[in-house]
Amino acid sequence: DAGSGKSTELLNLFYKLKEEDSPYFPIFQKLNTITSDRGLDDFLPTWWNQVQPEIVVIIWDGLDEVLSEQFNEVVRKINYFSQKNPKIKVVISCRANFYELPVNNSPGTLPDFAPYILDALNHDSIKHYYSFTTAKSNGEDFIAEMWNRDLLDLASRPFFLSIICSHYNKENKLPKERVFLFDMYIQNRMRLDE
């Protein structure tokens, strides 16, 4: 589920909760910088515990990006933190292949957390996104071109959809080979990771 929009959704949540009329106090952090030798109290901003716990919403992005040798220890620290601070709301993103869901009497990776899975974008969402990013059309030609190139499965993931839209807006057509889009994906990921 790489490129499915987890980080974007969490950032949208952060900005929504940060609006002036919101009753919440959000904190957004990427978990790829945490190490197992630091407690979560030290990882959070120094002022986090000076806010009423009922209004704090901690948004941690990318549990799957924690170093693999430190993953279990960080998960233990998150579980301990949430038990120690039950009034604080915590939202965490993680790729499904790194997260054990609570099924068949198994508590899952984070027992006190409810899992949510992002749906793939449907045709209407794809058309809406395309129409939002360009003034060229209502998206029907774009959908037809993706259908002809067998790219609708890729377009259902926001990251790939942005690449496909960008290419289509520049070239007014889509490449015949998926490999070209994957090359664009790799180049974009490298730029994002810098």
Side-chain angles (χ1 to χ4, degrees):
D1 53 355
S4 63
K6 297 178 298 299
S7 296
T8 301
E9 283 296 321
L10 290 189
L11 279 171
N12 285 339
L13 174 63
F14 171 73
Y15 288 117
K16 186 73 177 166
L17 295 178
K18 196 176 175 182
E19 289 178 358
E20 193 171 312
D21 61 344
S22 171
Y24 296 106
F25 192 92
I27 299 169
F28 180 89
Q29 292 180 300
K30 291 188 159 290
L31 286 172
N32 64 354
T33 60
I34 193 169
T35 56
S36 61
D37 60 335
R38 289 174 72 189
L40 292 175
D41 293 344
D42 295 332
F43 181 66
L44 286 163
T46 55
W47 44 263
W48 76 271
N49 56 2
Q50 297 170 16
V51 180
Q52 289 179 305
E54 295 83 9
I55 66 170
V56 173
V57 178
I58 298 172
I59 303 169
W60 282 321
D61 184 30
L63 179 58
D64 54 289
E65 296 175 20
V66 172
L67 295 174
S68 60
E69 63 270 10
Q70 299 182 0
F71 184 83
N72 290 334
E73 181 61 26
V74 170
V75 166
R76 275 192 287 281
K77 288 181 181 199
I78 290 171
N79 281 318
Y80 177 73
F81 180 86
S82 70
Q83 290 168 359
K84 190 174 83 172
N85 299 284
K87 293 181 179 181
I88 292 178
K89 293 152 200 65
V90 180
V91 179
I92 301 172
S93 72
C94 185
R95 290 183 189 176
N97 57 327
F98 286 82
Y99 190 88
E100 180 186 340
L101 292 170
V103 293
N104 300 331
N105 297 325
S106 165
T109 303
L110 296 167
D112 295 333
F113 289 75
Y116 293 88
I117 298 172
L118 293 180
D119 287 334
L121 298 176
N122 61 29
H123 288 184
D124 289 338
S125 297
I126 293 169
K127 283 193 317 192
H128 176 76
Y129 179 82
Y130 178 75
S131 298
F132 181 76
T133 60
T134 183
K136 290 183 181 180
S137 74
N138 65 5
E140 292 297 331
D141 294 339
F142 178 64
I143 293 286
E145 179 77 7
M146 282 195 300
W147 179 264
N148 291 336
R149 301 281 189 231
D150 193 28
L151 295 173
L152 282 172
D153 62 321
L154 283 180
S156 69
R157 297 177 172 260
F159 188 81
F160 283 111
L161 178 59
S162 67
I163 292 169
I164 293 168
C165 285
S166 176
H167 181 80
Y168 189 76
N169 286 339
K170 289 178 190 165
E171 306 294 328
N172 221 20
K173 63 180 181 178
L174 292 174
K176 293 181 181 172
E177 302 292 328
R178 284 177 172 236
V179 70
F180 181 78
L181 291 172
F182 284 110
D183 184 53
M184 289 175 65
Y185 167 78
I186 291 168
Q187 297 303 320
N188 282 353
R189 279 308 311 182
M190 289 172 58
R191 277 194 296 278
L192 283 174
D193 291 341
E194 289 178 346

